[in-house]
Amino acid sequence: MQFLAEITSGLAALAAAIYCFVLARRLKRFNQLETGMGGAIAVLSAQVDDMTRALERAQATAGTSERQLRALTERAEAGAEKLELLLASLHDLPEDGEPRRRVLRRRHRETDMEAAQ
């Protein structure tokens, strides 16, 4: 009975050793940089770095475009205001065929003495 227990525990230890050996080989393949998961992680890490740089460039470009667009919008609004003033002044022009009237206004003077002074 004692002998059977020792053989069983020896077989269990041998099985555990084989299991550890198999796991060690799988882990080694898993971590290989060229073919295993380690390579995939390295590639993904490099892609994340590239995407971060691309995002920073895109943000800088968007900021520049926003400033340019804001300046152009302000310039267009100023031009629109000038056009509105010009259109408003066109309404004051006489219609075709209508003579231009010139209005002169004189100040009323109460006495001739004030005019002489």
Side-chain angles (χ1 to χ4, degrees):
M1 190 62 127
Q2 182 80 18
F3 181 69
L4 190 60
E6 288 179 12
I7 290 179
T8 305
S9 61
L11 287 176
L14 183 63
I18 292 171
Y19 183 70
C20 287
F21 179 72
V22 170
L23 283 181
R25 287 186 64 207
R26 284 185 180 176
L27 186 60
K28 189 181 282 188
R29 273 190 270 140
F30 183 77
N31 287 331
Q32 284 179 346
L33 289 178
E34 296 169 358
T35 59
M37 212 46 183
I41 292 171
V43 168
L44 288 174
S45 177
Q47 287 177 345
V48 166
D49 291 340
D50 291 342
M51 291 301 287
T52 302
R53 280 189 234 107
L55 178 63
E56 289 170 354
R57 285 193 306 267
Q59 287 174 337
T61 303
T64 302
S65 298
E66 184 264 338
R67 286 188 293 277
Q68 290 174 347
L69 185 59
R70 185 179 306 272
L72 288 173
T73 302
E74 290 172 357
R75 189 171 155 203
E77 287 175 354
E81 289 176 6
K82 288 180 183 177
L83 283 174
E84 287 175 1
L85 286 173
L86 286 172
L87 283 174
S89 68
L90 284 175
H91 290 296
D92 295 340
L93 292 176
E95 302 258 339
D96 290 341
E98 204 178 293
R100 273 185 92 169
R101 288 183 278 159
R102 190 169 178 187
V103 177
L104 294 176
R105 293 186 183 160
R106 294 186 182 168
R107 274 194 313 185
H108 178 60
R109 295 187 183 137
E110 291 181 20
T111 64
D112 290 335
M113 289 302 283
E114 287 179 5
Q117 289 178 349

